[in-house]
DNA sequence: CTAAAATTAAAACGATCGTTTTATTATTTA
DNA sequence: TAAATAATAAAACGATCGTTTTAATTTTAG
């Protein structure tokens, strides 16, 4: 909170009046982050539910992670530090993951209708696989710069989809 | 520290005498965890550097994660909560990941000599891919029970290896 | 312009945390 | 057994943290 007071120039009393407490403020920030930063990526999948949308989604996520000012994903960092955030914040992460998984599974199902993904595959399993890899990139990416790894991982995702 | 005093029945002064401070104690615990809990899995890869060893490694990791008393991996949870542990602890995680990656890449190279993995693949990239997925399972597994997912992810790993 | 409401700065609060100290008790060593 | 060493319980420390209060200042409304 003292960091926020310093960084925002706001008064602590003002923030407590607006958000109730530290947890409320964080939950509010996390929701805003989801709506403004993350849901546009989901929208790509909803707008183009097929292989084209999936590729656009992956490319957008990758170029985001590769951009110079990328500081990490607030949503997944919240999950990583699960035990020091509120239950409501974790529920928000879960809610987001479900949303993403549904959008991805829908796009994969669309790709199956197009014929770009084999019909025999389970779209939900593939979606989980992709999300699992994205989580892995967040966590394993902390070990050292994951930038050289991203391309290989994306290639693996596409390979898993079409193989 | 107060939790440890309660849980161990030891005196705080004794712990400070033995380990210096909280960080030192944690680093010691993490090293012990690596040596006793994690390195046996690496040893599987070193003992049998081929597809057989890789499968044994994956099966061991999976059955560990699926066992009822599994509480999560201290090594990867340390990475997840990066900002609240010491730099030395993070260095330990990095050191471990490098060790694991080398063992995995060596086993994959062995599998390539056997012919069970296509010779054209980059063993280091495949190793990174597997480790990335394991990290993902740790993090994404927090969203809800990942047990139903594990089998699918392992299948994806094997598919990526032999495809 | 004046009164009410909101915002601010700054201090203070109680709680917790990592750590140290003190005095006592148990263990080892010679 | 006596002396030295180690371990213990318990209190106390300074620092930090989330939060509230107080009093002054600014903004808004009538």
């Amino acid at each position: 909170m003292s960091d926020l007071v310093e960084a925002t120039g706001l008064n602590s009393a003002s923030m407590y009046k607006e958000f109730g407490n530290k947890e409320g403020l964080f939950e509010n920030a996390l929701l805003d982050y989801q709506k403004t930063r993350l849901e546009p990526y989901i929208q790509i999948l909803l707008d183009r539910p097929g292989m084209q949308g999936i590729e656009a989604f992956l490319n957008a996520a990758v170029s985001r992670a590769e951009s110079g000012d990328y500081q990490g994903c607030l949503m997944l960092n919240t999950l990583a530090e699960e035990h020091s955030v509120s239950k409501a914040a974790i529920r928000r992460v879960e809610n987001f993951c479900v949303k993403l998984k549904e959008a991805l599974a829908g796009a994969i199902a669309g790709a199956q209708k197009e014929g770009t993904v084999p019909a025999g595959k389970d779209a939900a399993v593939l979606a989980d696989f992709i999300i699992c890899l994205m989580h892995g990139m967040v966590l394993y990416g902390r070990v050292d710069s994951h930038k050289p790894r991203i391309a290989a991982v994306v290639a693996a995702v596409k390979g898993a989809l079409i193989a």
Side-chain angles (χ1 to χ4, degrees), chain A:
Chain A
M1 293 301 289
S2 55
D3 287 347
L4 285 179
V5 166
E6 189 181 353
T8 64
L10 290 170
N11 192 278
S12 70
S14 308
M15 294 197 292
Y16 276 93
K17 192 181 175 205
E18 186 68 22
F19 299 108
N21 54 27
K22 194 179 69 155
E23 291 184 349
L25 190 152
F26 182 75
E27 287 153 22
N28 210 282
L30 186 60
L31 177 57
D32 182 82
Y33 183 85
Q34 173 178 338
K35 290 214 173 307
T36 63
R37 301 291 158 95
L38 299 182
E39 288 192 348
Y41 294 92
I42 292 183
Q43 197 59 43
I44 296 174
L45 295 168
L46 298 179
D47 289 344
R48 288 184 279 165
M51 182 54 85
Q52 208 183 92
I54 296 173
E55 285 186 341
F57 167 81
L58 291 174
N59 290 338
V62 165
S63 65
R64 171 181 152 83
E66 279 178 338
S67 82
D69 62 340
Y70 181 64
Q71 303 253 34
C73 172
L74 183 61
M75 188 65 67
L76 294 193
N77 285 345
T78 298
L79 183 60
E81 300 182 27
E82 190 182 13
H83 95 278
S84 51
V85 302
S86 67
K87 308 251 183 201
I90 293 302
R91 263 181 270 121
R92 161 107 1 252
V93 178
E94 289 177 344
N95 168 284
F96 171 77
C97 284
V98 169
K99 250 184 169 169
L100 174 56
K101 177 180 169 173
E102 285 170 0
L104 254 178
I108 293 169
Q112 288 176 315
K113 277 189 186 137
E114 295 165 359
T116 40
V117 168
K121 301 222 172 204
D122 184 331
V125 167
L126 285 176
D128 267 330
F129 171 76
I130 293 174
I131 298 179
C132 186
L133 263 168
M134 297 181 82
H135 281 72
M137 283 164 63
V138 165
L139 196 54
Y140 190 32
R142 294 184 179 187
V143 169
D144 54 27
S145 171
H146 56 167
K147 284 173 189 173
R149 266 191 275 273
I150 288 183
V153 170
V154 170
V157 168
K158 290 181 183 163
L161 283 179
I162 63 178

